[in-house]
Amino acid sequence: MPGTAEPTGGAHATTPATTRHYLTVASLTPDEFARLISLARRMKANPAPWRDAIPAGKLALLFDKPSTRTRVSFEAAGVNLGMHPMMLRPDELQIGRGEPPQDTARVLSRMVDAIAWRTFSQAKMEAFAAYATIPVINALTDEHHPCQALADLMTIEESVGSLAGRRLAYVGDGNNVAHSLIEAAALAGMDLALATPEGYEPDATILSMARARAAETGGSIEVVRAPNEAVRGADAVYTDVWTSMGEEQEREARLRAFQGYVVTPRLMELAAPEAIFLHCLPAHRGEEVEESVIEGRWSRVWDEAENRLWTEQAVLYALITGDWSGER
Ligand code: CP
Ligand code: NVA
């Protein structure tokens, strides 16, 4: 139901203690992360029991940046659950004319059951969510892409098997996708090695918090310079674009900095014999990945993209109903 609970936490409206957002992977416990993947896998294997699980629910989708997978997966997942998704562009909303995000959060909380938002600033996302009394889901910021990481680890589990102790390599930019992957690997007890050029390392705070978490789960997070070093023996090799949305003015400098960080067949041959290749997409063939890798025997990118649908559905169901186990 749209949030009408009394706010907690002082003079300003804040999220009630019973409402959960999904703004970063690190906001989940290892058990919650595993439950969401398990729920998504059960929804994929047998979709029928979740059809119309949230009848006449309302889902607001706010996208300040372009999107194919995230936008369509949220709409499709909402429809699967019996919800009515509303795709809202900022230029159609007063937020695009300067209405404070906190006001938009409070108004939408009175009308809909969940909000997914793709925007630039993580701080703005967190300020918005603090004023929402319904679940807010981060559909990508410059710092995090938590929905992507769920689909990524679901795909690894489907293709390779149980996650704990698996070796994951990330080659390229220490960006939003890398940050969420770092946090996810830590929760799942995986050994993640990232190879990034100098100056493009992941955020130091995200890294140190994830390392502390990995110390509890038996995982590890390592940052190295050489792609060979990260990829050797890996069960999965991951890359993302060199120039993310909002960084277009840096493109030329980035093209120079990332030479040598291309995922090639030769690099994939250093990974484990059955290793898989993942990419959040959209991909730039001939930049971060060669055509023969993304179209080759290693690639699981289409399964990974499909899994956005099932993980989005699991997140919506768990956050809106409060039922994370989804026994049906
Ligand atoms: N991977 C991903 O989030 O893709 P979109 O930008 O198309 O949503
Ligand atoms: N790092 C990319 C991911 C796109 C899904 C970006 O932010 O543009």
Side-chain angles (χ1 to χ4, degrees):
M1 288 303 103
T4 50
E6 281 304 307
T8 57
H12 299 294
T14 58
T15 304
T18 48
T19 301
R20 290 289 300 272
H21 301 312
Y22 185 46
L23 306 184
T24 63
V25 174
S27 67
L28 302 177
T29 64
D31 180 60
E32 287 169 342
F33 187 79
R35 276 170 183 246
L36 288 176
I37 291 184
S38 160
L39 183 54
R41 292 192 65 181
R42 278 179 288 129
M43 287 172 160
K44 183 178 183 178
N46 183 19
W50 283 275
R51 292 263 183 260
D52 296 327
I54 309 177
K58 291 157 218 73
L59 173 62
L61 302 173
L62 279 62
F63 278 72
D64 299 354
K65 297 182 182 184
S67 169
T68 298
R69 281 141 289 269
T70 311
R71 175 209 156 138
V72 176
S73 59
F74 269 111
E75 280 206 46
V79 169
N80 282 349
L81 291 168
M83 302 183 74
H84 178 83
M86 291 171 234
M87 182 68 199
L88 304 166
R89 291 194 347 219
D91 59 321
E92 299 169 337
L93 299 179
Q94 298 290 7
I95 202 170
R97 294 177 58 244
E99 182 169 19
Q102 309 83 288
D103 293 3
T104 306
R106 282 177 284 193
V107 171
L108 294 185
S109 293
R110 302 295 180 102
M111 298 178 181
V112 305
D113 299 282
I115 303 168
W117 190 20
R118 168 170 289 196
T119 192
F120 294 86
S121 155
Q122 181 74 17
K124 199 163 112 185
M125 168 82 65
E126 292 186 3
F128 176 90
Y131 281 82
T133 53
I134 53 166
V136 175
I137 301 165
N138 179 354
L140 179 145
T141 62
D142 293 351
E143 261 178 77
H144 293 275
H145 197 1
C147 294
Q148 182 67 50
L150 274 169
D152 299 337
L153 268 59
M154 172 177 169
T155 311
I156 297 173
E157 198 183 86
E158 277 180 343
S159 304
V160 180
S162 57
L163 297 171
R166 297 285 173 192
R167 297 183 62 180
L168 173 60
Y170 178 93
V171 177
D173 190 15
N175 61 13
N176 45 7
V177 167
H179 290 155
S180 292
L181 209 56
I182 287 168
E183 295 184 346
L187 290 185
M190 299 180 75
D191 294 314
L192 169 61
L194 303 102
T196 65
E198 191 176 356
Y200 295 94
E201 296 87 355
D203 177 82
T205 308
I206 290 173
L207 258 182
S208 69
M209 306 266 289
R211 282 180 171 142
R213 180 62 100 175
E216 297 162 5
T217 61
S220 64
I221 317 288
E222 192 188 6
V223 180
V224 299
R225 199 60 75 213
N228 289 0
E229 206 183 316
V231 166
R232 196 161 284 118
D235 298 297
V237 178
Y238 199 116
T239 191
D240 183 19
V241 293
W242 293 340
T243 304
S244 286
M245 290 180 279
E247 297 172 341
E248 289 77 9
Q249 73 292 351
E250 299 173 25
R251 181 170 155 77
E252 292 308 315
R254 284 174 170 269
L255 279 175
R256 285 192 297 277
F258 285 95
Q259 290 311 311
Y261 288 81
V262 187
V263 179
T264 60
R266 216 181 149 115
L267 192 65
M268 288 303 302
E269 295 294 354
L270 297 176
E274 304 297 322
I276 62 169
F277 171 75
L278 298 175
H279 191 310
C280 59
L281 306 177
H284 294 73
R285 291 162 169 81
E287 288 188 21
E288 74 275 2
V289 60
E290 282 192 6
E291 169 93 11
S292 54
V293 171
I294 196 165
E295 300 292 352
R297 65 181 167 87
W298 305 278
S299 182
R300 296 290 182 281
V301 300
W302 316 118
D303 293 332
E304 182 185 11
E306 180 192 337
N307 289 339
R308 295 296 306 278
L309 168 63
W310 304 109
T311 47
E312 251 75 293
Q313 191 172 311
V315 168
L316 286 171
Y317 179 83
L319 294 187
I320 295 171
T321 66
D323 172 12
W324 291 61
S325 54
E327 299 300 342
R328 282 188 173 233

